[in-house]
Amino acid sequence: MNVKEKNNNEILLLSHELSRTGAPIVLRDLAVVLKDMGYSVLVVSFRDGELKEDYEKNDIPIIVYDNQDIEPDFIDRLVADYNIWIVNTLLLWPVVSYVQNTAVKIKWWLHEDEIFFQKCCDAYGSAIDSDNIKYYAAGPYVKDMIDKYLHVESKIVNFGVKQSKYVDAIEAYHTYAKDNGGRVRFVDIGSISYTKAQNVLVDAIKKLPDEYIKQSEFIFIGDVKGADTDILDSIVRLTVRYDNVKLLDSMPQDDIYRIYDNSSVVVVPSIYEPTSAVAVEGLMKKKICICSDICGVSYYLKDNESAYIFPSGDSQALAEKIKYVIDNIELLTDIYESGHKVYEQNYSMECFVTTCPAIIRTKHNSHLKTIK
């Protein structure tokens, strides 16, 4: 199929699915930004989901190609109509492979952790190194993974989180503690899984002396139905042991934001975490963040200055960070203010909007063949 003359104001965005999870959500945000900038955007997803409603509310056209087998004829039609493609996640490797060395300008935005890079390289072999493909990393961690596994150049493009109203960590403590026995409220949000490592936080809580347990409350929020059984069981057993440990099922973003406003500390114990939208939201909301050192956002944070960082998987070190926060909760203004500056400088929507035009304008080599 020959590639006809196309309008560079028209951009195709490809998503592997439309779930309300990290990578699909940030692609939605990118689509909204591009539309607001005056681009004509079409989104193609290879699986349906709840996020489709968001595109429709924003008047962004979307095609759901709900088929496990990607038909060449369908991809050829997209090649014929769109010159600039933004492809989201490693999961669309087969699509990118099909259009390599064509006149289509591919901007491949990757978000995955090391386990996924390993799996994709095992499944598909060597990286796709083609003149018409530019790689973008959702943070420093992902860039390190691209360097390690794909051996190609990439640029960092962090996602953006819109600033919303917030109740800072100390104000939240005063408000919540007044009616809850002076407790500091900690929250862990994410899929209940091996990579998110809620078991590390569970073990850290078990290591806390009784006086610290009495001064704290821990809330775990995640998809109970899709949870790792062993980790879920460990959380449930902890809720039975302590009345101040709670497990809540996944919920809409507005409800999560209300829980942030009544909490002082966001804990991210992940052992694999390319960025952590939860940590970024915590920084945006002026919460005290305790993150593992593997967490992508930790590349921008400094321990004891803008957050508290502990070695991934080390529950004793996490317990010590929790104890310190409880002991000093009313003295930590500088921590969350510095953390908020990290958000503003790296993950604010203003930063994201500034970065987007540079992605679109990135030049590709022009000596490329077309699909016949």
Side-chain angles (χ1 to χ4, degrees):
M1 179 179 290
N2 290 321
V3 180
K4 66 182 182 181
E5 287 295 319
K6 291 163 286 189
N7 185 348
N8 283 339
N9 196 54
E10 297 177 344
I11 301 175
L12 176 68
L13 276 63
L14 297 178
S15 181
H16 70 288
E17 65 180 25
L18 294 172
S19 63
R20 291 193 186 278
T21 55
I25 287 174
V26 299
L27 190 72
R28 174 208 61 195
D29 293 342
L30 175 59
V32 172
V33 168
L34 293 173
K35 178 176 179 287
D36 290 345
M37 290 169 59
Y39 289 99
S40 176
V41 176
L42 172 68
V43 178
V44 172
S45 175
F46 294 91
R47 185 180 298 172
D48 207 347
E50 296 174 335
L51 211 60
K52 183 179 179 180
E53 299 174 5
D54 292 16
Y55 285 109
E56 292 171 345
K57 288 177 182 177
N58 285 284
D59 294 322
I60 296 173
I62 181 164
I63 296 173
V64 177
Y65 187 78
D66 207 347
N67 191 333
Q68 291 183 343
D69 298 318
I70 299 171
E71 296 293 334
D73 287 348
F74 177 70
I75 304 301
D76 289 345
R77 291 198 299 273
L78 297 177
V79 169
D81 291 337
Y82 288 88
N83 187 43
I84 300 174
W85 294 20
I86 298 177
V87 182
N88 207 37
T89 77
L90 279 169
L91 284 161
L92 294 182
W93 188 310
V95 176
V96 175
S97 179
Y98 183 78
V99 297
Q100 65 180 308
N101 297 319
T102 71
V104 174
K105 299 174 182 177
I106 300 290
K107 325 286 186 173
W108 199 3
W109 196 18
L110 303 183
H111 306 260
E112 284 83 356
D113 61 38
E114 185 165 14
I115 290 176
F116 214 91
F117 272 88
Q118 290 173 340
K119 288 180 178 178
C120 284
C121 287
D122 289 344
Y124 300 117
S126 58
I128 305 168
D129 190 4
S130 173
D131 287 335
N132 70 316
I133 300 169
K134 297 295 181 185
Y135 288 79
Y136 295 89
Y141 171 96
V142 180
K143 181 171 175 54
D144 286 350
M145 295 303 103
I146 293 173
D147 292 344
K148 181 176 180 179
Y149 290 96
L150 304 185
H151 312 294
V152 295
E153 292 185 4
S154 63
K155 294 182 179 179
I156 292 174
V157 176
N158 291 314
F159 59 78
V161 172
K162 186 177 180 181
Q163 179 68 66
S164 70
K165 294 180 180 179
Y166 59 80
V167 178
D168 69 51
I170 294 176
E171 183 181 353
Y173 167 69
H174 286 151
T175 302
Y176 186 77
K178 182 175 62 177
D179 299 320
N180 292 276
R183 290 174 173 173
V184 180
R185 200 182 208 195
F186 297 74
V187 62
D188 174 299
I189 305 170
S191 60
I192 300 172
S193 63
Y194 168 77
T195 57
K196 299 296 184 184
Q198 286 89 352
N199 56 301
V200 176
L201 177 55
V202 167
D203 289 344
I205 295 170
K206 290 178 180 178
K207 290 178 167 119
L208 294 175
D210 286 344
E211 62 265 30
Y212 286 94
I213 292 290
K214 293 175 182 177
Q215 297 177 68
S216 58
E217 178 175 297
F218 296 90
I219 299 178
F220 293 85
I221 302 174
D223 179 13
V224 172
K225 185 177 180 181
D228 177 284
T229 304
D230 290 340
I231 296 177
L232 179 63
D233 287 347
S234 71
I235 298 171
V236 170
R237 287 195 296 271
L238 204 63
T239 64
V240 173
R241 180 174 174 181
Y242 299 117
D243 64 359
N244 56 337
V245 177
K246 300 176 182 178
L247 171 63
L248 303 178
D249 204 353
S250 56
M251 61 187 69
Q253 191 68 22
D254 288 347
D255 292 336
I256 287 176
Y257 272 23
R258 279 191 283 272
I259 288 177
Y260 278 133
D261 288 341
N262 288 313
S263 304
S264 295
V265 189
V266 172
V267 184
V268 183
S270 305
I271 58 170
Y272 291 101
E273 186 69 75
T275 297
S276 177
V278 171
V280 173
E281 289 169 349
L283 297 173
M284 178 270 289
K285 287 279 195 178
K286 291 196 175 183
K287 302 304 172 183
I288 297 159
C289 291
I290 304 178
C291 304
S292 71
D293 58 1
I294 200 67
C295 180
V297 70
S298 296
Y299 284 66
Y300 298 108
L301 297 169
K302 290 185 178 180
D303 187 31
N304 298 315
E305 290 187 21
S306 48
Y308 294 102
I309 312 298
F310 69 96
S312 175
D314 190 337
S315 59
Q316 183 60 52
L318 175 54
E320 294 302 319
K321 298 293 185 184
I322 291 170
K323 287 165 61 179
Y324 183 84
V325 169
I326 292 172
D327 285 338
N328 297 280
I329 184 63
E330 296 187 82
L331 304 174
L332 302 181
T333 302
D334 288 347
I335 295 290
Y336 66 70
E337 290 291 355
S338 296
H340 189 72
K341 288 179 182 177
V342 170
Y343 154 74
E344 290 180 324
Q345 293 167 1
N346 298 281
Y347 295 103
S348 66
M349 194 56 71
E350 289 76 12
C351 289
F352 190 49
V353 169
T354 300
T355 304
C356 288
I359 301 173
I360 304 304
R361 291 196 298 264
T362 300
K363 292 184 178 180
H364 294 243
N365 293 340
S366 58
H367 58 284
L368 305 172
K369 65 184 181 182
T370 58
I371 294 177
K372 301 293 185 182

